[in-house]
Amino acid sequence: MKLLIVEDHPIVISGCRALFAEAGGMEIEEARTAADARLALTRDAPDVTIIDINLPDGSGLELTREFVANYPDLRVVVFSMNETPILAVQALQAGAKGYVSKTGGSTDLREAVFAVARGETWVSGDLIQAMALLRAQNGATAELLNERERLVLRMLARGRSMAEIANDISVSYKTVASDCALLRKKLGARTSTELVRIASELKLI
C-alpha cells in the first residue's frame, strides 16, 4: 500500500511512521503543505492519503474536496485535533472516507487507514453517535455555537480586532479573548485567521 501523509508537524509525522512501521508492504511518503501534497499525489499515486485538517497554506477540507474531485479512486482520511462532530460531517461530505481525532486511541489512525483501503468508511464510535444526532437536528450551527460566539465570528471576519469587538458589543476584552479561545478549540483552529477560514468553510458565518 502507498500511503501519503499530509501533515506539517514533524513529531506527528514521526508518530505516523512509527504506527505503520510494523505493517508489511507499506510505502510511506509525506508532504508538509497543500502545495507539496499536490506534487506528491501526482508523483506517487498513493492508495490512501492522510490529510491534517489545518495546513500552513490551506484547509485540509478544501484539499480533500480537490483531491477527491480530481482523483475519484483516492481514499482520504482526515486527521484533526478536534472531535467536534460537525467537522467530521463536513470531512465526509468533502469526500473523505475516514475521520480520526488526534486525541483518540493510539491505533485509531491505523485502523482507519486499513478500513478505507478496503473500501470502508471509518469514524470512531463516539463520533458516529454524535454525528447521527447532529444530522437529525435542525440548526446544527446553533447547537455548536451560541449567539455571541457567532457574532464574534462575524466581526472577526470583517477584520475587527478583539479590542474593537469588545468595545462594539460592550463587554470586556477578557470576555472576547475567552470567546475566541473557545471558538478556536471548537473548530480546531490555531489562529484567528484560520478560525475565520474554517468557519466560512463550514458556513457558520
Side-chain angles (χ1 to χ4, degrees), residues 6-204:
V6 185
E7 164 67 56
D8 65 319
H9 287 87
I11 292 176
V12 176
I13 292 174
S14 296
C16 289
R17 284 187 173 277
L19 188 63
F20 292 101
E22 297 177 0
M26 293 288 290
E27 183 179 328
I28 302 175
E29 300 294 336
E30 62 188 64
R32 304 292 177 92
T33 66
D36 288 345
R38 293 183 182 99
L39 293 174
L41 187 64
T42 302
R43 181 187 67 232
D44 302 317
D47 300 299
V48 178
T49 300
I50 298 169
I51 299 181
D52 184 10
I53 206 166
N54 294 318
L55 298 170
D57 58 342
S59 159
L61 290 180
E62 284 302 315
L63 191 64
T64 297
R65 290 190 187 96
E66 175 188 327
F67 279 8
V68 172
N70 293 329
Y71 303 89
D73 293 333
L74 179 66
R75 292 160 181 173
V76 174
V77 175
V78 170
F79 201 28
S80 172
M81 283 295 298
N82 202 295
E83 291 183 303
T84 301
I86 194 170
L87 290 180
V89 170
Q90 290 288 328
L92 297 186
Q93 288 177 344
K97 295 299 182 183
Y99 185 91
V100 179
S101 170
K102 294 179 182 178
T103 61
S106 60
T107 62
D108 283 0
L109 185 60
R110 185 170 58 198
E111 290 178 11
V113 165
F114 287 121
V116 302
R118 294 191 299 267
E120 302 169 11
T121 298
W122 195 98
V123 180
S124 69
D126 291 345
L127 266 180
I128 288 175
Q129 294 179 9
M131 288 164 65
L133 178 61
L134 186 64
R135 283 169 165 155
Q137 293 170 335
N138 292 321
T141 301
E143 295 296 321
L144 181 65
L145 306 178
N146 63 40
E147 183 58 37
R148 191 174 68 214
E149 288 170 338
R150 292 197 297 275
L151 176 60
V152 168
L153 266 179
R154 290 194 294 270
M155 298 182 82
L156 284 172
R158 293 200 296 267
R160 304 292 282 172
S161 69
M162 286 192 289
E164 290 170 330
I165 293 171
N167 182 67
D168 290 346
I169 64 177
S170 301
V171 299
S172 70
Y173 175 88
K174 184 177 179 180
T175 296
V176 175
S178 177
D179 286 341
C180 289
L182 185 57
L183 282 165
R184 288 194 297 272
K185 181 178 180 180
K186 284 184 175 182
L187 300 184
R190 290 174 288 191
T191 66
S192 293
T193 299
E194 196 170 67
L195 176 64
V196 169
R197 188 187 72 236
I198 293 172
S200 178
E201 290 172 2
L202 297 179
K203 296 179 172 54
L204 298 179

